[in-house]
Amino acid sequence: MIPVRGYEGRRVGVLGLGRSGLSTARALAAGGADPVVWDDSAEARDRAAAEGFAPADPGRDQVLAGLAVLVTSPGIPHLYPGPHPVIARAMAMGIPVDNDIGLFFRSFATAAWDGFDTAPRVVAVTGSNGKSTTTALIHHILTESGRPAQMAGNIGRGVLDLDPARDGEVVVLELSSYQTELARALTPDVAVFTNLSPDHLDRHGGIGGYFAAKRRLFAEGGPDRAVIGVDEPEGRFLAGQLAEAPADDRVIRVSSGQKLDGFGWSVFARKGFLAEWRRGRQMAAVDLRAIPGLPGAHNHQNACAAWAACRALGLAPREIEAALASFAGLPHRSQLVGERGGVRFVNDSKATNVDSAAKALQAFPRIRWIAGGLGKDGGIAALAPHLGAVVKAYLIGHSARDFALQLGATPHEICETMDRAVARAAAEAEPGEVVLLAPAAASFDQYPNFEKRGEDFTARVQALPAAGQGA
C-alpha cells in the first residue's frame, strides 16, 4: 500500500467505493487522514462499513463542509455530460476534487529514497487503443531483464495498492482519460501516448475534450521523456508542442507504417520490422512477424512504444528484443485461444469500438469474423474499407441486424448467440483461416463486461470437438 501523505488529521471525502475507492480510503487512513466515504449503492456502503469506515452522505452540506479534498472514482462524471450532484456541490463550495492517481503521484516518493542507489521511476501510458498491451509489454520487458517493476492503474492493481518502491524499481501505469483528466498531480518520468480515435465523447464533451484529457499527462507533468505515437494528427501536434526542434530527443516519435528517420529519436515498424533511429543513425532492427503475442500492425505499434519507453529507461536493444520474443499477449486482446484443423481462434473481445476492430481485421489474411453486441453510434459503417480479409461475418447480440445492414456484399449470418456463432464459424472455416472475435460493440447486452464475453468465446472454442470428429 502507498499511504497517502499531506492530509494527516484532516477529513477527506471518498466518493465511489469500488476497487479504487476502497483502496483510496485504506491508503488515506494509513497516512493519518480521516476518510469520509460514500457510494450511491447500499451494498458498496456495507462493504466499506465492514472494513471499519463510517459512510456519511456528502449530499448534505454539513458533511461536505470542512473536507480538505473530495476524491472521486474514475467512473463518476465530474463535468460532462453533467457532474454528479455531490461533485457539483463540492466545486460550488470550492472544495478541491482529485482522484487516486493524483494522490499516488503526491505520495509515491518518500524520504527512504534518499538511501537508494537508483531512484524509482514511473512510466505512464495513455491513448485510445493499445495502452493495456503497451503497459503489460513494458512491465514484461523490465521483469524479463531483471529490473524490479510493478504494474497498476487501469490494469492490474489500483495505484494505491502498490507496494512501496524498492531501489531502482519502475512502476508502469496504464491511465485512462477518466484518470488523467482529473488528477491534480501527474509527474511521470516517462509518458507514453499510443494513439487517438473517437471514444468516450459524451464523457469529455467531444473529441477535443477527449484529447485534452490525454494531453494533461504531458502538459501537467513535464516528463523527462515523452513517447508519442504520430500516426494521427493529434499525436503529431503533441510531439510538436513538446519538442524544441525535430532533433530534440526528449521526444521519441513512434509509428506503425511510417519511416521516421529525420528526428532526434524515433522507433517505427514497417512490413513487420521494427527500427530504432537516433541522431541520424539506425540503432537497432527487429523482426516482429514471428512473435505470436504481437500479431498485426497495431501490435507492432505497441511494440514500438514499449521499445521506446524501455530504451528511455536505459535498457539495451538486445535485452528488449529477447523479452519481446517471450511476450504471450494479454487476455481478450488478439489472444490466441486455440487451434483446430489448421484454423486459429483469436479472442479480441476488447475490440469494443470501430477503430480497435479495424486494427484486428487488418492483422490476419482470411477471417471468419464474430461481431456484434451493443453497437455504438454509427455502428460498423466505418469498417467498410477494412473488410477485405473477411470471408464471412457471424453476428451476435442486440445490434446483429443493424450490423448486417451495414455489411453490404460481405457474406454474413445472424447467429444472435456466441454459442451458435462459434459453432457456425468453426464448421465453415478452412485451414489457414482465423476465427476472430472482434465485436466492434460493447458487451452489456449479453455480458457484464468484455472479459466475460471473451471468456465465453474461449470456453466455446475449447468445447469444440477435435478436427475430424464431427459435431
Side-chain angles (χ1 to χ4, degrees):
M1 179 188 296
I2 306 295
V4 174
R5 297 184 295 113
Y7 295 108
E8 294 83 353
R10 304 172 73 186
R11 296 172 67 245
V12 175
V14 178
L15 180 63
L17 296 172
R19 184 192 69 168
S20 68
L22 270 177
S23 171
T24 297
R26 297 184 196 111
L28 283 163
D34 177 16
V36 179
V37 305
W38 185 256
D39 194 291
D40 291 339
S41 162
E43 182 180 354
R45 297 196 299 269
D46 289 344
R47 285 197 300 269
E51 292 197 26
F53 299 108
D57 185 356
R60 296 176 292 171
D61 283 357
Q62 60 267 36
V63 175
L64 275 177
L67 291 183
V69 65
L70 176 66
V71 182
T72 179
S73 294
I76 301 174
H78 54 268
L79 186 56
Y80 302 115
H84 186 282
V86 170
I87 296 176
R89 185 61 186 149
M91 291 189 293
M93 296 171 65
I95 298 169
V97 180
D98 205 349
N99 60 18
D100 62 331
I101 303 301
L103 298 183
F104 165 82
F105 276 110
R106 69 179 289 159
S107 305
F108 183 52
T110 67
W113 291 20
D114 293 340
F116 289 169
D117 291 330
T118 304
R121 286 183 283 182
V122 176
V123 178
V125 181
T126 195
S128 296
N129 297 301
K131 56 185 179 292
S132 295
T133 297
T134 300
T135 301
L137 184 52
I138 294 169
H139 180 260
H140 173 79
I141 294 168
L142 289 166
T143 54
E144 287 293 298
S145 302
R147 271 67 167 180
Q150 298 185 74
M151 180 174 66
N154 207 40
I155 185 174
R157 291 186 285 179
V159 291
L160 295 173
D161 282 332
L162 287 167
D163 299 325
R166 296 170 288 174
D167 194 338
E169 187 165 52
V170 179
V171 168
V172 190
L173 303 180
E174 177 193 342
L175 299 183
S176 72
S177 57
Y178 292 6
Q179 294 169 312
T180 58
E181 184 175 46
L182 193 61
R184 293 173 66 88
L186 285 168
T187 54
D189 298 281
V190 179
V192 179
F193 176 86
T194 59
N195 50 58
L196 196 85
S197 61
D199 209 357
H200 310 304
L201 300 190
D202 57 339
R203 175 65 181 263
H204 298 293
I207 189 69
Y210 179 49
F211 176 52
K214 302 285 190 186
R215 181 180 175 275
R216 287 193 76 246
L217 182 62
F218 303 85
E220 301 294 323
D224 295 333
R225 283 276 194 274
V227 176
I228 309 292
V230 295
D231 288 335
E232 294 85 30
E234 292 85 358
R236 293 189 288 273
F237 172 82
L238 181 58
Q241 281 203 316
L242 296 173
E244 292 295 331
D248 186 350
D249 65 3
R250 293 174 302 173
V251 174
I252 309 176
R253 289 169 171 84
V254 166
S255 174
S256 176
Q258 300 180 62
K259 186 176 182 180
L260 302 173
D261 57 356
F263 300 97
W265 202 346
S266 62
V267 182
F268 57 90
R270 297 180 71 203
K271 299 181 180 180
F273 286 86
L274 178 150
E276 178 190 354
W277 283 72
R278 190 170 188 187
R279 297 173 182 170
R281 296 177 55 209
Q282 184 169 336
M283 308 297 292
V286 178
D287 186 352
L288 301 174
R289 295 172 299 174
I291 300 175
L294 296 167
H298 61 303
N299 275 311
H300 295 171
Q301 183 189 53
N302 299 334
C304 289
W307 180 286
C310 290
R311 291 286 283 138
L313 292 169
L315 273 69
R318 64 181 182 278
E319 295 178 287
I320 303 173
E321 183 177 1
L324 286 177
S326 62
F327 182 66
L330 287 180
H332 318 298
R333 297 162 177 87
S334 297
Q335 177 193 17
L336 180 64
V337 298
E339 188 167 345
R340 175 181 177 270
V343 176
R344 289 178 291 162
F345 294 80
V346 175
N347 167 21
D348 205 338
S349 185
K350 184 64 168 64
T352 59
N353 59 41
V354 163
D355 188 70
S356 53
K359 290 178 169 59
L361 290 171
Q362 295 172 72
F364 308 100
R366 289 182 58 82
I367 297 170
R368 302 278 174 173
W369 179 33
I370 299 177
L374 193 60
K376 299 186 178 182
D377 289 347
I380 57 170
L383 286 175
H386 308 294
L387 299 178
V390 176
V391 179
K392 183 176 177 180
Y394 305 81
L395 304 175
I396 64 173
H398 178 271
S399 297
R401 285 166 175 78
D402 292 336
F403 281 16
L405 294 173
Q406 296 178 308
L407 281 173
T410 301
H412 59 271
E413 179 178 338
I414 295 176
C415 296
E416 296 188 344
T417 65
M418 185 71 74
D419 187 15
R420 179 169 174 77
V422 171
R424 293 290 298 142
E428 296 182 347
E430 298 179 358
E433 294 181 345
V434 169
V435 175
L436 170 68
L437 172 66
S443 60
F444 306 124
D445 57 334
Q446 294 178 313
Y447 303 93
N449 50 52
F450 74 83
E451 292 95 341
K452 291 298 182 184
R453 178 171 59 192
E455 290 167 9
D456 188 25
F457 172 77
T458 302
R460 304 292 181 185
V461 169
Q462 293 174 348
L464 289 169
Q469 291 185 2

